[in-house]
Amino acid sequence: MQQKWTDTCQLDMLKADKPQFCFEAAVVGIGRIGDSRWNNDNYVYLTIPYSWWQYFFSLVCLYFPIGSSREVCKPFFVADRQVGYVTPKVLQYLQDRPDVIHITRDAGTNDVQRVSLSSSLTTFEERTTKMAELLQEMRKLDVFVTLRGWRNEMYAVCASYHDETLMNMERAATCLFGIKQYGVHLNGYCHHPSKGLCMWIGRRSPTKSTFPNKLDNVAAGGLPSGMLIKDCLVKECAEEASIPESIAQKAEPAGAISYFYEDERGLFDETQFVYDLEFPADFMPWINDEEVTEFYLWTLEEVKDRIASQEFKPNCALVILDFLIRRGFLTADTDPNYVLFLQGLHTDDPSSLFR
């Protein structure tokens, strides 16, 4: 990975009305610092030293990557409840399906104001079936990268986590409509007799369709429709790390982190529920599927070093940042970015922190 940071911490201001922050491609999977399309007069870009806390700083600024379309997205409604956003690219493929999609336009300008699932679809089953048919048609067009990674896994579509599930949608397609996605991550740690507090870290398979070879939490996964968070965690523990249910059930809920980003696949409005689990000092996770290639037991200092090298899957680094704060490894008295980190972990618009 290319290092394009300057030697001192600074924000390089190019002529911009509203600063927008961008950073190395590994964070969101699009572009690279130094690309010609990054060097224009419309954006502010972040140039920072290459250290672990400054990488965290860049992660909490991951809102609004260069070329973000969120400002021109149209709200997506189901049963009069907003559940997401539609980008201009996706919108052009929805305009000829009035049996599934209704587009509301301004009477004077004819500009699109909102996109809705047809009000004629009144039940969960009708909405799910019709949307599935539309997505299969879009898949056959082969113009959406995300649909090439079809999962055959359903995500719930709802306005917020505890709201009514209005329909189910193929996981790979949710980013096309900016649907809120949920997942669960486990901080697995132990008190080593000689090394002190250590974390178990996994390495993702090189064949993974997203973030191959990146470092990951010991267990994590997306939340399928109809599954409780703890049940999903127990399932992922068994599948990814051979953690027995009797141990996984001892994991304790530790809150959640939220963030928004956009890449070539679509819009990702995500909340990850976080659990902590203290393993016995002699416990070792074992590979149980093809998604993980290796596990490591590292001290927190070693974990920080790996974060500085940008080896971690970005949202996993944020989960670990949350862990370091909660465990007192980072404090307001010793870290000048403490409050920024706290705010950035719990908003889908970190750019607001700099206004």
Side-chain angles (χ1 to χ4, degrees), residues 64-113:
F64 273 141
I66 284 298
S68 173
S69 60
R70 185 162 179 178
E71 287 190 327
V72 294
C73 288
K74 304 305 177 184
F76 178 54
F77 286 79
V78 176
D80 276 334
R81 277 167 279 189
Q82 185 176 350
V83 296
Y85 293 91
V86 175
T87 66
K89 177 181 178 180
V90 174
L91 179 60
Q92 63 180 311
Y93 292 94
L94 302 178
Q95 304 199 39
D96 296 326
R97 287 300 304 269
D99 59 321
V100 185
I101 299 295
H102 175 73
I103 297 175
T104 303
R105 297 180 180 272
D106 182 273
T109 65
N110 202 40
D111 292 338
V112 175
Q113 293 183 315

Side-chain angles (χ1 to χ4, degrees), residues 294-337:
E294 197 168 0
F295 289 103
Y296 312 95
L297 182 62
W298 286 332
T299 65
L300 296 188
E301 285 293 338
E302 289 173 318
V303 172
K304 284 171 52 180
D305 289 342
R306 296 290 179 155
I307 288 170
S309 71
Q310 302 190 37
E311 286 189 69
F312 271 92
K313 182 172 179 273
N315 64 348
C316 299
L318 291 177
V319 170
I320 292 173
L321 171 60
D322 176 67
F323 180 84
L324 296 176
I325 290 173
R326 289 186 289 101
R327 294 285 163 168
F329 198 79
L330 301 179
T331 68
D333 288 333
T334 59
D335 195 304
N337 300 289

Side-chain angles (χ1 to χ4, degrees), residues 36-90:
S36 59
R37 67 188 181 92
W38 288 51
N39 300 324
N40 56 63
D41 290 335
N42 300 318
Y43 297 99
V44 175
Y45 66 92
L46 187 66
T47 54
I48 55 181
Y50 215 65
S51 66
W52 73 273
W53 72 262
Q54 289 151 343
Y55 179 57
F56 275 140
F57 185 89
S58 71
L59 286 176
V60 300
C61 297
L62 64 90
Y63 184 79
F64 273 141
I66 284 298
S68 173
S69 60
R70 185 162 179 178
E71 287 190 327
V72 294
C73 288
K74 304 305 177 184
F76 178 54
F77 286 79
V78 176
D80 276 334
R81 277 167 279 189
Q82 185 176 350
V83 296
Y85 293 91
V86 175
T87 66
K89 177 181 178 180
V90 174

